[in-house]
Amino acid sequence: MEDKRGKGKEKDREAWIERGVAIRAGFYIFGTHLFAGFVWLLFYLGEHANK
């Protein structure tokens, strides 16, 4: 019976790690798009500035 418990804990740990990786990837993707939008905004404002 100990083997089954050990495998269950290991499976839970793997699921926890996978969820953490997915959350981290989501933050990285969101952050990258936020930064790209900011850079785009700077170019847009610079193009339309009164010179």
Side-chain angles (χ1 to χ4, degrees):
M1 279 193 124
E2 268 185 66
D3 291 337
K4 289 182 181 178
R5 282 191 211 163
K7 288 183 181 181
K9 285 183 181 181
E10 185 66 28
K11 203 171 195 180
D12 290 343
R13 185 172 183 270
E14 288 179 19
W16 181 259
I17 291 172
E18 287 178 13
R19 189 169 72 140
V21 169
I23 291 171
R24 193 176 312 128
F27 279 127
Y28 288 156
I29 291 168
F30 176 76
T32 301
H33 281 82
L34 189 66
F35 178 71
F38 178 69
V39 171
W40 176 83
L41 181 64
L42 290 178
F43 276 103
Y44 180 81
L45 292 174
E47 183 180 337
H48 291 87
N50 295 330
K51 296 177 183 176

